[in-house]
Amino acid sequence: MTDVQRIERVWTMIRTVHDPELPYLTVEEMGMVREVTVRNNQIVVSLTPTYSGCPATDVISEDVENAVKAVEPEAQVEVVLSPAWTTDWILPSAYEKMRAWTNRKNTSHNC
């Protein structure tokens, strides 16, 4: 299997990991996974939390690592704080889901 194929398999697994604070979005859609590379034949996933003090960073990192290790047992997840995460990294699909979620919440009445 080529490195490109390995990286694509890892991205497929990353797409299954949801943001614990916005569970209708994936960490990919939130732009938290900056890159997937191969270093010395090992897959490395670079993860940037939405802010440096994010209390969910460990959970997200562990969730990504568990998903990725299903296809790449020796993979490593590294938390990268610089450059800092920006909303520019959010995928358009995430904005669509956020709008739909907000509209759903605004139209439901629990009285």
Side-chain angles (χ1 to χ4, degrees), residues 36-65:
V36 177
T37 57
V38 178
R39 291 188 207 144
N40 300 320
N41 203 37
Q42 180 184 37
I43 291 286
V44 179
V45 178
S46 298
L47 178 75
T48 300
T50 54
Y51 69 98
S52 62
C54 178
T57 299
D58 289 342
V59 170
I60 294 167
S61 180
E62 184 177 306
D63 288 350
V64 169
E65 185 173 289

Side-chain angles (χ1 to χ4, degrees), residues 6-7 9-11 13-14 17 27-28 32-39 42-48 60-61 63-69 71-72 74-80:
R6 291 173 65 203
I7 289 169
R9 282 181 9 144
V10 167
W11 274 109
M13 298 309 293
I14 289 168
V17 179
V27 294
E28 179 196 29
M32 288 188 251
V33 179
R34 298 308 310 142
E35 68 178 346
V36 177
T37 57
V38 178
R39 291 188 207 144
Q42 180 184 37
I43 291 286
V44 179
V45 178
S46 298
L47 178 75
T48 300
I60 294 167
S61 180
D63 288 350
V64 169
E65 185 173 289
N66 289 337
V68 168
K69 284 191 173 195
V71 294
E72 285 285 337
E74 302 302 318
Q76 174 186 347
V77 175
E78 64 181 13
V79 176
V80 179

Side-chain angles (χ1 to χ4, degrees), residues 5 10 27 29 53 73 87 96:
Q5 291 169 319
V10 167
V27 294
E29 290 172 315
T87 56
E96 294 166 18

Side-chain angles (χ1 to χ4, degrees), residues 79-92:
V79 176
V80 179
L81 300 179
S82 181
W85 179 87
T86 169
T87 56
D88 292 342
W89 296 351
I90 297 174
L91 297 182

